[in-house]
Amino acid sequence: MVMGFSIALIVFSLLLMMLVLMHKGKGGGLSDMFGGGMQSSVGGSSVAERNLDRITVVVGLGWFACIIVLGLLMKLDN
């Protein structure tokens, strides 16, 4: 069970890194490598950006839940 949550934690960590790097930057940084430097003159955020925000939050919550469950499992294992 610990191995399964450890693998899930690795997957969530990689997904979270990828999603954070995909966000549009406010100038400079790693996000410009993935096209973040091309900004439109529209003031509001697009639907794709809002969906990316939502997905990032969900993956972050999954990552946090994996950390909590792994901590509890390791504490109860001793």
Side-chain angles (χ1 to χ4, degrees):
M1 189 164 223
V2 172
M3 180 63 77
F5 278 105
S6 296
I7 292 171
L9 182 63
I10 292 170
V11 170
F12 277 125
S13 297
L14 293 174
L15 279 173
L16 199 57
M17 284 190 305
M18 182 186 71
L19 289 170
V20 167
L21 287 175
M22 287 175 62
H23 279 278
K24 186 175 7 177
K26 295 182 180 170
L30 288 175
S31 62
D32 283 342
M33 289 188 339
F34 301 107
M38 295 183 267
Q39 297 184 6
S40 64
S41 61
V42 179
S45 61
S46 68
V47 174
E49 291 175 38
R50 286 188 300 237
N51 287 337
L52 184 60
D53 289 342
R54 291 178 186 136
I55 293 169
T56 304
V57 168
V58 168
V59 171
L61 289 173
W63 179 83
F64 184 73
C66 277
I67 296 250
I68 297 297
V69 170
L70 271 174
L72 290 174
L73 285 175
M74 289 182 178
K75 184 178 181 179
L76 294 176
D77 194 30
N78 289 335

